[in-house]
């Protein structure tokens, strides 16, 4: 007869130790180990397959207590695949001894993600405890730490990155060259693609358009390529309707990556084509009466891309007559009744023939002089702005300019009034500033003299070449008058043109009689009076 069941149960209780509560147990984990020569020399990164070889059993030195080396902060180190990696084994003096560790005194052991590191052709441990990876591979990423004499050192996290290829831009399915120029028409929609091959992790892609960060409005997609172990990234920038304000603006794609010392940008210049836009100016300014015998100057500014040259046309019942003009200027000297009528500016553009609105010039008779460039009708006043002292750079914020984003230009005379004596050489000067930098300057002498541009001479007048000012976007314009005469007196106007803007300033020239002429006249009068006195004395009868 067999033993009763309760007898067997009692024997089992007496022979088996009591189970400890879960809180008293220390859990062990086995992180596997790398065998030297496994897969042809796997080393710290494993075999060619790139995996950790895990065995069913492990020697005591490969058994790690849960939480070993995780105390404190983890130092992070980023390296590029293929670079040499040096890891130092620094163990604090107060590090506790690991129970059950059988390391000899002074022995250094390295671990990677819980597996003991074995030396091979790529991995070596120096006598100082330094770990050397001759060239890093992707599986080297992870946690690394060491033990010295059975005491653990701090952990460090290694990131092995793969640098991306240089980015490039695509438009319309075609790759664009670096620094290319993209031409499109105003109002069109464009989509630019920034393509980045390679990289692990995926690179960060940002966009800037005309100096502004437009990244939030873009889309980015990164695809993982398993066979290469890298990402393929594409970011798209869409402008639904381009405006001519984006002409010559730069669109730039910039990538950032842990393996790159500095971000890499790919710029693209935008060439926006748009039809002509006209701006007309007149001197004397609009509203000033034009009298017979005076001079009228019309200026036409054409803003277009591609650029086109303006021409002036006079309209009449018999048709339109194209007038001789240069650089957008139409100069009518000694106007008469035949100059009365409608004028407009026209240009031939690749998009077609364009013209401005027409302006009417009414010539008044019963006058021999010109209304001239009356100071009160010019934007400039009789004094310069207080911030602009003579012969000093004029700061842009000291000169009024329109805040419409279309640029500005301002003309400030060095002296608003010049007094000289006849026969001397006199110089008139002005500062012409603008953004963009002024493109043209013209001198308008008193009405009986034709206009003059820098670098040209006409008789006694010499308009000198423009010179750069001490401030960005500023130019110095000077005009010299040799042997000044009384007829040179009057208002001299200097006109500056920049972009789609124009401005003018008035300089008063006053001519006085020369000192030697006054002395000669006084001497002649004195001689005449002496001769008259002698004649009177000779005519007196002799004394008896």
């Amino acid at each position: 007869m067999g033993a009763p069941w309760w007898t067997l149960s009692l024997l089992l209780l007496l022979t088996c130790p009591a189970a400890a509560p879960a809180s008293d147990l220390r859990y062990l984990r086995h992180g596997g180990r790398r065998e030297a020569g496994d897969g042809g020399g796997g080393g710290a990164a494993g075999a060619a397959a790139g995996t950790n070889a895990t065995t069913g059993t492990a020697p005591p030195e490969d058994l790690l207590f849960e939480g070993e080396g995780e105390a404190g902060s983890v130092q992070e180190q980023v390296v590029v695949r293929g670079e040499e990696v040096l890891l130092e084994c620094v163990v604090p003096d107060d590090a506790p001894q690991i129970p059950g560790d059988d390391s000899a005194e002074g022995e250094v052991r390295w671990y990677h993600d819980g597996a003991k590191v074995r030396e091979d052709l790529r991995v070596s441990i120096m006598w100082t405890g330094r770990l050397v990876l001759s060239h890093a591979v992707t599986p080297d990423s992870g946690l690394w730490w060491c033990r010295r004499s059975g005491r653990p050192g701090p952990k460090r996290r290694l990131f092995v990155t793969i640098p991306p290829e240089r980015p490039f831009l695509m438009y319309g399915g075609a790759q664009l060259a670096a620094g290319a120029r993209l031409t499109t028409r105003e109002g069109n929609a464009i989509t630019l693609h920034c393509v980045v091959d390679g990289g692990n992790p995926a690179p960060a892609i940002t966009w800037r358009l005309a100096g502004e960060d437009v990244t939030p409005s873009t889309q980015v997609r990164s695809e993982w390529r398993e066979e290469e172990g890298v990402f393929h990234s594409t970011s798209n920038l869409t402008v639904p309707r381009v405006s001519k304000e984006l002409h010559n603006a730069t669109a730039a794609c910039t990538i950032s990556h842990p393996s790159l010392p500095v971000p890499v940008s790919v710029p693209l210049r935008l060439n926006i084509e748009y039809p002509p836009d006209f701006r007309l100016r007149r001197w004397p300014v609009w509203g000033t009466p034009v009298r017979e015998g005076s001079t009228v100057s019309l200026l036409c500014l054409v803003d277009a891309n591609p650029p086109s040259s303006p021409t002036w046309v006079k309209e009449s019942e018999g048709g339109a007559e194209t007038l001789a003009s240069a650089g957008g200027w139409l100069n009518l000297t000694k106007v008469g009744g035949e100059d009365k009528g409608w004028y407009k500016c026209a240009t031939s553009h690749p998009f077609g023939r364009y013209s401005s609105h027409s302006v009417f010039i009414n010539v008044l008779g019963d006058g021999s002089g010109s209304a001239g460039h009356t100071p009160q009708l010019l934007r400039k006043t009789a004094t310069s702005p207080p911030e602009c002292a003579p012969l000093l750079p004029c700061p842009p914020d000291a000169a009024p300019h329109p805040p419409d984003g279309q640029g500005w230009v301002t003309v400030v005379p060095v002296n608003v009034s010049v007094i000289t004596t006849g026969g001397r050489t006199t110089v008139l000067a002005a500062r012409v500033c603008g953004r963009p930098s002024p493109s043209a300057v013209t001198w308008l002498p008193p009405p009986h003299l034709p206009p003059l541009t820098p670098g040209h001479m006409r008789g006694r007048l010499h308009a000198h070449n423009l010179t750069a000012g001490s401030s960005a976007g500023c130019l110095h314009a000077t005009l010299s008058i040799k042997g000044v005469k009384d007829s040179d007196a009057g208002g001299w106007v200097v006109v500056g043109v920049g972009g789609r803007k124009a401005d003018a300033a008035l300089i008063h020239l006053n001519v006085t009689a020369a000192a030697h002429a006054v002395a000669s006249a006084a001497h002649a009068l004195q001689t005449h009076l002496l001769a008259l006195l002698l004649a009177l004395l000779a005519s007196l009868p002799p004394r008896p």
Side-chain angles (χ1 to χ4, degrees), residues 146-233:
C146 70
R147 291 184 191 174
R148 184 187 294 273
S149 302
R151 294 179 303 182
K155 285 186 177 181
R156 68 200 70 188
R157 186 179 300 276
L158 192 66
F159 292 97
V160 179
T161 65
I162 301 176
E165 301 292 335
R166 186 173 184 85
F168 59 89
L169 298 178
M170 294 188 66
Y171 176 74
Q175 181 176 341
L176 303 177
R181 187 177 178 88
L182 176 62
T183 299
T184 186
R185 289 191 64 169
E186 180 184 21
N188 288 347
I190 61 172
T191 298
L192 301 175
H193 308 276
C194 182
V195 182
V196 187
D197 286 323
N200 186 14
I205 304 177
T206 59
W207 285 90
R208 297 189 72 86
L209 178 61
E212 297 183 3
D213 185 6
V214 293
T215 305
S217 63
T218 61
Q219 303 83 35
V220 63
R221 179 181 180 182
S222 296
E223 298 179 354
W224 173 252
R225 294 182 174 178
E226 184 68 30
E227 65 281 2
E228 302 175 17
V230 295
F231 286 91
H232 175 81
S233 305

Side-chain angles (χ1 to χ4, degrees), residues 227-412:
E227 65 281 2
E228 302 175 17
V230 295
F231 286 91
H232 175 81
S233 305
T234 303
S235 179
N236 304 325
L237 170 65
T238 299
V239 182
R241 181 181 176 85
V242 296
S243 62
K244 65 180 181 181
E245 283 71 23
L246 290 177
H247 177 57
N248 282 331
T250 298
C253 160
T254 302
I255 68 168
S256 301
H257 194 266
S259 63
L260 300 176
V262 295
V264 178
S265 297
V266 183
L268 174 70
R269 182 78 66 176
L270 297 178
N271 180 34
I272 310 301
E273 295 183 341
Y274 51 90
D277 182 25
F278 298 87
R279 296 209 174 189
L280 307 182
R281 299 287 186 268
R282 195 194 82 171
W283 285 271
V285 295
W286 307 109
T288 305
V290 177
R291 300 192 179 277
E292 186 177 358
S294 64
T295 296
V296 177
S297 297
L298 298 175
L299 173 61
C300 175
L301 302 175
V302 179
D303 180 28
N305 187 41
S308 58
S309 300
T311 58
W312 281 97
V313 176
K314 182 181 181 183
E315 300 173 306
S316 62
E317 295 181 358
E321 175 188 1
T322 301
L323 306 176
S325 59
W329 285 96
L330 174 64
N331 301 303
L332 304 176
T333 58
K334 297 182 180 180
V335 297
E338 67 279 3
D339 297 315
K340 181 178 179 180
W342 291 94
Y343 294 80
K344 69 178 180 180
C345 182
T347 186
S348 295
H349 192 267
F351 297 168
R353 179 77 176 175
Y354 293 81
S355 61
S356 68
H357 63 274
S358 299
V359 296
F360 187 76
I361 294 182
N362 186 26
V363 180
L364 303 178
D366 190 23
S368 58
S370 167
H373 315 286
T374 52
Q376 63 271 23
L377 293 179
L378 290 172
R379 191 186 61 78
K380 288 291 177 289
T381 59
T383 59
S384 301
E387 295 87 354
C388 304
L391 300 181
L392 293 178
C394 178
D397 54 0
H401 54 273
D404 57 1
Q406 298 293 330
W408 55 271
V409 63
T410 182
V411 181
V412 180

Side-chain angles (χ1 to χ4, degrees), residues 34 42-52 112 120 122-123 133 137-140 144:
R34 288 177 169 79
T51 59
N52 293 342
H112 176 213
D120 58 17
R122 195 178 64 88
V123 182
L133 304 177
V137 293
T138 303
D140 289 337
W144 293 77

